């Protein structure tokens, strides 16, 4: 993982228990989380809600798979989407902020990228951006996740990348 506007962390296969870790950190702080997903199509939310008691910290998610839904549901700037496409670090930032603010959570995270089978918006398969919006922050920190493999592997790496970025932000703040 390489970082855009922050520091990264490995999101390898050794990251078992990430949903539990993230939820425990949120609960210890009395804080909540909202998620905005594109290429992961609900996998981040599914990972979180698979943990018993998740409802005490997880507010909900928006699956904005279609580009126009990123604008309509999450408030991503339409000019940005037209100029750069949906696979962009600034889009990821705006998605995370939109999820946090529109779902009334303390934290927001997002995923946007290309799982394949072909390139999208000029970005190659395996290009993924995730972002974390902290409580009260006016901007979010975006992280680039470059994943290899088939569609399923890319989506799984994207979930790990998003949860790892959030866990790291929770530990640092």
């Amino acid at each position: 993982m390489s970082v855009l506007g922050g520091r990264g962390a490995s999101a390898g296969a050794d990251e078992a228990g990430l949903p539990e870790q993230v939820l425990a950190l949120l609960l210890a702080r009395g804080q909540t989380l909202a998620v905005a997903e594109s290429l992961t199509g609900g996998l981040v939310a599914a990972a979180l809600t698979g943990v018993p008691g998740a409802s005490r910290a997880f507010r909900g998610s928006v699956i904005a798979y279609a580009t126009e839904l990123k604008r309509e549901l999450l408030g991503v700037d339409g000019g940005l989407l037209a100029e750069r496409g949906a696979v962009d670090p600034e889009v990821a930032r705006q998605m995370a902020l939109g999820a946090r603010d529109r779902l009334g959570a303390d934290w927001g995270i997002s995923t946007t990228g290309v799982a394949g089978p072909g390139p999208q918006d000029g970005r190659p398969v395996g290009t993924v951006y995730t972002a974390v919006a902290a409580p009260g922050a006016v901007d979010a920190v975006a992280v680039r996740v470059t994943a290899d493999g088939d569609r399923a592997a890319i989506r799984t790496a994207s979930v790990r990348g998003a949860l790892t970025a959030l866990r790291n932000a929770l530990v640092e703040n």
Side-chain angles (χ1 to χ4, degrees):
M1 226 188 259
S2 64
V3 178
L4 300 171
R7 60 147 203 72
S10 171
D14 61 333
E15 296 293 340
L18 269 171
E20 292 86 354
Q21 292 173 32
V22 164
L23 290 167
L25 288 164
L26 288 165
L27 287 169
R29 298 161 163 249
Q31 294 178 326
T32 57
L33 171 66
V35 178
E37 299 185 66
S38 186
L39 84 150
T40 50
L43 293 175
V44 175
L48 292 165
T49 59
V51 178
S55 62
R56 293 181 294 156
F58 182 64
R59 296 271 306 154
S61 66
V62 173
I63 301 171
Y65 205 67
T67 299
E68 68 271 12
L69 293 180
K70 291 170 182 62
R71 178 180 50 79
E72 294 169 9
L73 299 177
L74 297 168
V76 176
D77 179 81
L80 173 68
L81 290 166
E83 179 183 324
R84 298 189 197 168
V87 183
D88 182 81
E90 182 59 28
V91 171
R93 286 184 189 99
Q94 290 185 23
M95 288 174 65
L97 290 164
R100 181 195 69 188
D101 296 346
R102 291 180 179 208
L103 297 178
D106 297 301
W107 292 83
I109 60 174
S110 67
T111 62
T112 187
V114 187
Q120 177 185 338
D121 299 330
R123 307 282 189 173
V125 172
T127 302
V128 176
Y129 297 99
T130 186
V132 177
V138 296
D139 197 7
V141 176
V143 177
R144 180 179 169 149
V145 179
T146 303
D148 296 321
D150 63 11
R151 185 174 177 81
I154 292 167
R155 294 173 77 211
T156 298
S158 301
V159 172
R160 279 195 309 265
L163 293 176
T164 299
L166 175 59
R167 182 197 57 199
N168 293 345
L170 284 162
V171 169
E172 288 176 359
N173 289 307

